[in-house]
Amino acid sequence: MSGILKVGGSELINDNGGSGALQWGTGIPANTIINQKFYTTTSQPTITSNNNFASFSTPFKTTITGTKSNSKFLIIVSMTVSSSSVGDAHIYGRLRDNTNSNATIGTEGSDGLFGDWLASNAYSGGVRLNHTELYTPSSHSGGDLEIEVLMKQNGAVTTLLNRRSNDNFYQRFSSTLTILEIAG
Amino acid sequence: MIVEALKELGITNDFAVDADVETEEHYKRSFKDISGENRFIEWPEVKSKMDELQADYDAKQYQRDRKYPDLGEQFDLLFKDINEGTLDKTGGFYTAIKSVKEAHPKPSE
């Protein structure tokens, strides 16, 4: 038996044509959080990229599934990075929509999307880098949406995720990438 | 250690590699030549350089373990030794530094 829940003529929930799997309908109130993806990693990839945004060796990315075409996405980045540089090194971040033509997310300034962060191998720990972005794809057909963090450095130094450089025995961290889907 | 090893082996253009690589399979899977201008170095050569750098790092562990008094305290010890005429092996400065060195001796000493 199939069913649709409507309020005032707006379809809030249906059972996907009788499959029994409930899903949001077309009449969800705008700005309702309807889906989420939480990704956490303790892997230790690096990037050595002088003024050129690039992927980590093991990409820092995640995919939210089952999205709707008119949604907005709140992307929450919390990552721990360090640098191979003994002195301060400038590191910059970018968010990329790998699903929709590798679109660059947000409005970047000269310091990328995240700003100008300093990291060093001399610090006693990594730098906790945080950024939150509300993303409305210019074109999105729904389904999977893959978001990736790219980074670059100012100079020929290495950015490391979740560890310090040149140190094999201590100071390991975790990083997270969270996506909340918000009804448009 | 693999990042430093690759740089010492001449990988000077943009690249990416996992920092916790310990096997050839992981090395080949994670190494990315971002610039397209680096040569690919085979795992045995990379591993050999990693081992060399690790041995050097381990040999200097005693240096990292030595926690000397901060400079302000050292200057104060020096001043007191000069003021009291004990700027020799009986003085506070010498004693403080020597105790740190003795706690973490150089392996060959």
Side-chain angles (χ1 to χ4, degrees):
Chain A
M1 185 179 74
S2 62
I4 297 173
L5 175 62
K6 289 186 176 182
V7 176
S10 295
E11 178 184 320
L12 295 182
I13 299 172
N14 64 59
D15 65 352
N16 196 18
S19 71
L22 297 181
Q23 62 180 18
W24 293 110
T26 55
I28 318 161
N31 300 315
T32 303
I33 296 174
I34 58 174
N35 194 0
Q36 64 83 27
K37 177 64 185 291
F38 174 73
Y39 171 70
T40 183
T41 180
T42 55
S43 67
Q44 298 161 21
T46 72
I47 298 174
T48 304
S49 183
N50 188 355
N51 282 316
N52 174 35
F53 280 113
S55 301
F56 278 102
S57 48
T58 296
F60 184 47
K61 64 182 182 181
T62 194
T63 301
I64 184 171
T65 60
T67 67
K68 294 187 169 299
S69 60
N70 61 342
S71 292
K72 298 173 284 188
F73 299 90
L74 188 67
I75 304 166
I76 304 167
V77 181
S78 181
M79 52 200 300
T80 309
V81 295
S82 69
S83 168
S84 64
S85 174
V86 174
D88 286 338
H90 298 263
I91 59 175
Y92 311 91
R94 164 178 289 179
L95 287 173
R96 188 174 70 184
D97 177 350
N98 288 349
T99 301
N100 296 300
S101 306
N102 288 334
T104 297
I105 295 172
T107 303
E108 292 186 350
S110 58
D111 296 330
L113 186 64
F114 299 172
D116 183 344
W117 292 73
L118 292 176
S120 165
N121 189 36
Y123 295 160
S124 57
V127 174
R128 195 70 179 178
L129 189 162
N130 298 294
H131 182 81
T132 303
E133 189 74 22
L134 182 61
Y135 173 47
T136 304
S138 58
S139 176
H140 179 52
S141 58
D144 291 356
L145 180 72
E146 183 178 89
I147 302 296
E148 180 175 359
V149 175
L150 309 181
M151 302 205 79
K152 70 176 183 179
Q153 301 81 222
N154 182 7
V157 298
T158 301
T159 297
L160 302 95
L161 186 68
N162 294 332
R163 67 175 287 158
R164 278 182 68 196
S165 176
N166 201 17
D167 157 17
N168 284 344
F169 302 107
Y170 54 90
Q171 292 189 317
R172 300 291 178 262
F173 314 103
S174 64
S175 295
T176 63
L177 184 56
T178 307
I179 305 174
L180 301 179
E181 182 181 1
I182 301 170
Chain B
M1 202 60 75
I2 189 170
V3 173
E4 292 75 15
L6 289 171
K7 287 178 179 177
E8 289 213 4
L9 289 170
I11 302 299
T12 55
N13 297 304
D14 293 352
F15 71 98
V17 69
D18 286 0
D20 54 346
V21 163
E22 293 182 348
T23 66
E24 182 172 10
E25 184 276 330
H26 191 176
Y27 168 59
K28 288 184 173 178
R29 170 165 46 87
S30 74
F31 180 80
K32 310 283 191 313
D33 181 12
I34 297 170
S35 67
E37 298 174 350
N38 292 304
R39 70 187 177 97
F40 181 77
I41 301 175
E42 294 296 337
W43 172 247
E45 189 178 358
V46 176
K47 182 69 166 63
S48 176
K49 177 58 73 174
M50 287 172 65
D51 291 344
E52 176 188 326
L53 293 176
Q54 187 66 54
D56 182 61
Y57 180 85
D58 292 343
K60 292 174 180 170
Q61 183 61 45
Y62 74 95
Q63 293 178 349
R64 294 186 293 276
D65 290 338
R66 288 177 172 177
K67 306 299 181 191
Y68 293 105
D70 66 43
L71 286 177
E73 187 175 343
Q74 290 188 41
F75 285 134
D76 189 50
L77 289 167
L78 279 172
F79 173 81
K80 287 176 179 173
D81 287 345
I82 293 168
N83 196 45
E84 294 168 12
T86 56
L87 193 57
D88 53 31
K89 289 188 175 182
T90 67
F93 176 77
Y94 179 88
T95 304
I97 300 300
K98 191 169 190 296
S99 69
V100 173
K101 289 182 181 292
E102 287 178 346
H104 303 284
K106 189 175 181 179
S108 59
E109 288 177 344

